[in-house]
Amino acid sequence: MSTGADELRVKMAQIAGRYIERVTRELVQLKGLIDDAAGGNLEVVREIEALTHRMHGSGAMLQFEEISGHAGELEHLAAGCLASGKVDQPRMVEILGKLQAAIDREIERRSVS
C-alpha cells in the first residue's frame, strides 16, 4: 500500500519531469530571443528577463540548483541591460550555453535513473 509520502514523491517527480520538458522547450524560445537581442531591442530583453525569471524561480523550488542558477544569472544580466539601455548579447550567449549544458546534464541524469 502506498503512503502519503510515497504519493508525494511520485507527484514531485512528475512535476520535476514537466519542468524539464518545459525548460527544454523554452530554451529554444530563449535562443531566438537572444539572437533577436543582438539588435539592441530592449523589448526582447524584457521577454528574456521574464522567461528566465520563471525558469529561475521554478527551478529553485524544484531543487534544480544548476539550472536555476544559470537562469537567474541570465535574468540578472537582462535586468542590468534594461537598466543601462545596452544589450550584452555575447554574455547572454555565454550564459545560455551554460544553461543548455545544465539542462542536458539533468536530462541525461534522469534517463539513466
Side-chain angles (χ1 to χ4, degrees), residues 54-76:
R54 286 192 310 271
M55 293 171 98
H56 178 209
S58 299
M61 286 188 339
L62 293 168
Q63 299 180 345
F64 290 112
E65 287 86 9
E66 188 179 12
I67 294 170
S68 177
H70 293 308
E73 187 178 1
L74 193 49
E75 175 191 3
H76 287 60

Side-chain angles (χ1 to χ4, degrees), residues 12-26 51-69 71 99 103 106 110:
M12 290 304 294
Q14 291 170 342
I15 292 169
R18 285 194 303 268
Y19 171 79
I20 294 300
E21 290 171 7
R22 188 189 88 208
V23 295
T24 299
R25 287 189 310 273
E26 289 176 340
L51 182 58
T52 54
H53 177 79
R54 286 192 310 271
M55 293 171 98
H56 178 209
S58 299
M61 286 188 339
L62 293 168
Q63 299 180 345
F64 290 112
E65 287 86 9
E66 188 179 12
I67 294 170
S68 177
L99 179 58
I103 293 169
E106 186 57 36
R110 295 174 75 75

Side-chain angles (χ1 to χ4, degrees), residues 25-38:
R25 287 189 310 273
E26 289 176 340
L27 195 64
V28 173
Q29 180 184 2
L30 194 54
K31 287 177 183 178
L33 290 170
I34 289 173
D35 286 345
D36 292 346

Side-chain angles (χ1 to χ4, degrees), residues 71-92:
E73 187 178 1
L74 193 49
E75 175 191 3
H76 287 60
L77 175 60
C81 292
L82 290 170
S84 71
K86 296 179 182 177
V87 178
D88 188 351
Q89 195 255 1
R91 180 79 178 116
M92 288 181 180

